[in-house]
Amino acid sequence: MVAAEAAGAAGSDRTQPLGPAGRRAYRRTMTSLWLDRAAHIPSDSLETEADTVVDDVIIGAGLTGLVTALLFARSGRSVVVLEARHVGAAATGHTTAKLSVLQAAHLQKIRRYAYPAIVDAYVQANLEGFAWLCRYAHDHNIPIQRKDAISYAGTPAGAATVEREYRVASEAGLPVERGGQLDLPFETFGSVVLRDQAQFDPMDVAAALVADIRAHGGRVVESARVSHVRAAVHPAVVRSSAGTVRAEHVIVATGTPILNRGLYFVKAAAKRSYATAWRVPGQLPDGMYISVDSPTRSIRTTPGADGDLLLIGGNGHGVGRHPSPKQLVDDLGDWTRTHWPEAERTHVWSAQDYQTPQRVPFVGWMPRGFGRVYLATGYDKWGMTNAVQAALTLAGDILGGQQEWARVLHSRVTLPRAIGSALGENAAVAWWYAKGYAGALTNLLPVEAPDEGTGVVGRRALRPIASSTVDGMTCELSAVCPHLRAIVSWNDQELSWDCPAHGSRFDADGTRLEGPAMNDMRPA
């Protein structure tokens, strides 16, 4: 566990250049609470002399990929999971880990962009995912806390949103209640409650899933970045940095697909949000809370070594589209200390997820995949239940026994309002292309190196250059994203280069972190 003093020195109050010790402390506070305390999960390997041949290869070792792999392995199929970094490296290791079918004001958003049958099917799918994960946790002795999920209005204007969510959730069959006085240290203006939901440590689940997959003969291979998928041949060929795998089916479970088939990077908008963990003396709120108005405030607790910790999240935005993510983290800290004055921060982290025009995940076969390539994406920050329902959907698609709710979600029609949402997002993408190139080509790159922890974009001749200094090392890279050539922007909280077009992210040295890009940034 990170000391609170280190977090304060190197966290949201960072104003001066950091020495080596301060940089190390800052880097560690940027590790999520879940990953910081997770036990090491060893990696398997692939054969080196010849291609590995299996029934199914899953790309991505998050919750979706691991549950899918386990379902296939339990059915007697041979399975390999390929993970570019490590188990839980992306959304699973950076979630707030609320397992709830009441999801802020999400059901009314679906109702706005789809028809009622889709809302009903989405609720049934999430109930199925909720029940499966709770059973799995119970059967594998994974600590899980049953809590009420509460969507509340933090402003008078939000009261109408709470009432609409209550109505839509009730019509979909959820046993929701109107809430009364909440045990929160600030005024609220109405709430809707779903009893007996759950919270847990997602890395406990990930570790159990990996062990279970191996017990059924599967393999989970880390540091295996996929570079190519060829589906036109049978079996399909998946090339990675760890070796080549041939498989009957390929499941792409990478947040957003790393393959451009189907143009899902256009259909799903990349969103980023932030979470913080705090030591707070005295009694803490007992439920899982999230506001329905903006800016979002997510509140829950989790057991810690010295008592419960308070988790506060929110302040979401489009990836690469905020001038200072650090200011958003500072704002979360200021808000937390206002309401819990003695709070001491231990961790801060962020997560990335994707929003579809209908606000319902894309799950199923991928176009131009010859019936061999499948995907799951678009959980819109509600990945705990949706990851499992996506895995159950994929298993039904491939192994048989598809649920009725899955058939409804597969056959949904895109309504005009959803089309308008998609067109609006793509207009925003075009604007960010124009803004990025205009800024890069009108600003000369400074001769001097950027200050520690900062990055700048400018031109040298007519070439857009991204220059940053992190841990005393200055790196100059092409500022052009290797995915579809938008200009990246500097993330001053995570010290990364983020693409505002489609959400690809890169470390300061250009190493790919996540998103649809398959390659690293190029040197300048």
Side-chain angles (χ1 to χ4, degrees):
M1 187 69 69
V2 177
E5 292 78 13
S12 63
D13 298 325
R14 188 179 84 251
T15 56
Q16 300 297 323
L18 300 175
R23 286 195 295 269
R24 286 193 296 271
Y26 174 69
R27 285 289 198 174
R28 196 169 177 217
T29 61
M30 281 302 298
T31 300
S32 80
L33 172 66
W34 321 122
L35 292 174
D36 192 21
R37 66 189 188 185
H40 174 67
I41 300 175
S43 175
D44 296 315
S45 60
L46 300 178
E47 293 86 353
T48 55
E49 292 80 11
D51 295 351
T52 299
V53 181
V54 295
D55 292 319
D56 309 290
V57 58
I58 289 87
I59 306 173
L63 189 57
T64 303
L66 294 175
V67 174
T68 304
L70 178 58
L71 295 175
F72 287 168
R74 281 178 173 176
S75 72
R77 298 175 70 86
S78 56
V79 176
V80 166
V81 180
L82 301 178
E83 167 57 47
R85 290 188 282 168
H86 57 81
V87 171
T92 296
H94 293 84
T95 175
T96 55
K98 292 179 178 178
L99 188 63
S100 174
V101 186
L102 179 65
Q103 303 167 349
H106 194 62
L107 295 183
Q108 64 187 275
K109 292 177 184 176
I110 298 173
R111 182 64 189 86
R112 179 177 174 82
Y113 292 101
Y115 41 92
I118 295 299
V119 179
D120 295 345
Y122 179 87
V123 167
Q124 291 304 311
N126 276 253
L127 287 170
E128 193 83 19
F130 176 90
W132 190 98
L133 196 50
C134 286
R135 286 194 303 269
Y136 190 83
H138 177 269
D139 293 345
H140 291 79
N141 298 314
I142 297 169
I144 191 166
Q145 300 90 46
R146 300 305 289 257
K147 301 280 186 178
D148 294 343
I150 303 165
S151 298
Y152 72 89
T155 64
T161 304
V162 164
E163 185 60 29
R164 281 194 300 272
E165 192 69 10
Y166 171 81
R167 186 176 65 253
V168 174
S170 297
E171 291 170 354
L174 286 179
V176 290
E177 307 168 13
R178 291 182 176 90
Q181 183 66 36
L182 303 181
D183 59 337
L184 295 173
F186 51 84
E187 186 177 9
T188 59
F189 300 86
S191 62
V192 56
V193 181
L194 183 61
R195 304 289 181 191
D196 202 29
Q197 300 300 283
Q199 60 184 33
F200 59 97
D201 184 327
M203 292 307 295
D204 289 344
V205 175
L209 287 167
V210 171
D212 212 355
I213 291 166
R214 288 172 176 155
H216 285 82
R219 281 172 284 177
V220 178
V221 184
E222 297 182 322
S223 300
R225 185 196 290 190
V226 170
S227 57
H228 180 73
V229 175
R230 186 182 179 196
V233 297
H234 183 265
V237 178
V238 180
R239 294 194 175 90
S240 79
S241 56
T244 299
V245 183
R246 297 178 182 271
E248 182 75 17
H249 301 108
V250 180
I251 311 298
V252 183
T254 54
T256 190
I258 56 172
L259 307 179
N260 286 342
R261 297 176 176 90
L263 302 179
Y264 287 95
F265 59 86
V266 173
K267 300 174 183 177
K271 305 291 183 179
R272 200 148 193 91
S273 56
Y274 302 89
T276 53
W278 304 80
R279 291 194 190 96
V280 182
Q283 189 171 358
L284 292 173
D286 189 48
M288 302 185 302
Y289 306 83
I290 187 166
S291 64
V292 300
D293 26 27
S294 184
T296 300
R297 292 292 181 259
S298 169
I299 305 167
R300 62 158 285 197
T301 59
T302 188
D306 303 315
D308 284 354
L309 297 173
L310 178 68
L311 305 188
I312 304 294
N315 280 357
H317 63 91
V319 174
R321 299 183 183 183
H322 194 279
S324 177
K326 178 181 176 297
Q327 290 181 2
L328 298 177
V329 173
D330 291 347
D331 178 66
L332 272 185
D334 292 342
W335 185 87
T336 302
R337 295 186 187 99
T338 296
H339 300 295
W340 289 274
E342 297 181 82
E344 297 178 289
R345 201 184 76 186
T346 64
H347 295 75
V348 55
W349 65 97
S350 64
Q352 187 155 311
D353 210 342
Y354 300 84
Q355 180 186 83
T356 71
Q358 301 95 336
R359 276 50 173 183
V360 175
F362 292 130
V363 184
W365 58 270
M366 182 176 279
R368 294 173 43 239
F370 298 89
R372 302 186 185 102
V373 182
Y374 292 74
L375 84 156
T377 188
Y379 302 158
D380 207 0
K381 303 179 185 177
W382 292 101
M384 297 297 96
T385 50
N386 275 304
V388 180
Q389 71 92 350
L392 295 170
T393 300
L394 293 167
D397 287 348
I398 294 172
L399 304 177
Q402 189 182 74
Q403 300 276 359
E404 178 59 28
W405 50 259
R407 282 192 283 270
V408 173
L409 292 176
H410 275 327
S411 61
R412 66 182 183 264
V413 175
T414 302
L415 298 182
R417 185 168 283 168
I419 294 172
S421 175
L423 291 174
E425 171 60 25
N426 284 293
V429 169
W431 187 87
W432 281 99
Y433 267 95
K435 176 181 171 65
Y437 274 98
L441 296 178
T442 55
N443 297 318
L444 284 173
L445 191 71
V447 175
E448 63 277 5
D451 292 337
E452 174 63 39
T454 65
V456 296
V457 173
R459 67 177 175 87
R460 182 170 293 128
L462 292 179
R463 297 170 56 226
I465 304 295
S467 178
S468 66
T469 302
V470 174
D471 292 342
M473 179 178 294
T474 298
C475 290
E476 290 194 356
L477 307 163
S478 169
V480 178
C481 177
H483 177 231
L484 286 180
R485 302 189 65 79
I487 299 298
V488 297
S489 62
W490 180 246
N491 181 327
D492 61 354
Q493 175 63 27
E494 300 174 85
L495 311 185
S496 63
W497 292 109
D498 299 356
C499 178
H502 305 114
S504 294
R505 297 184 58 247
F506 309 86
D507 209 345
D509 64 2
T511 302
R512 178 195 176 274
L513 296 173
E514 60 185 312
M518 296 184 73
N519 300 313
D520 297 338
M521 293 174 67
R522 294 185 298 275

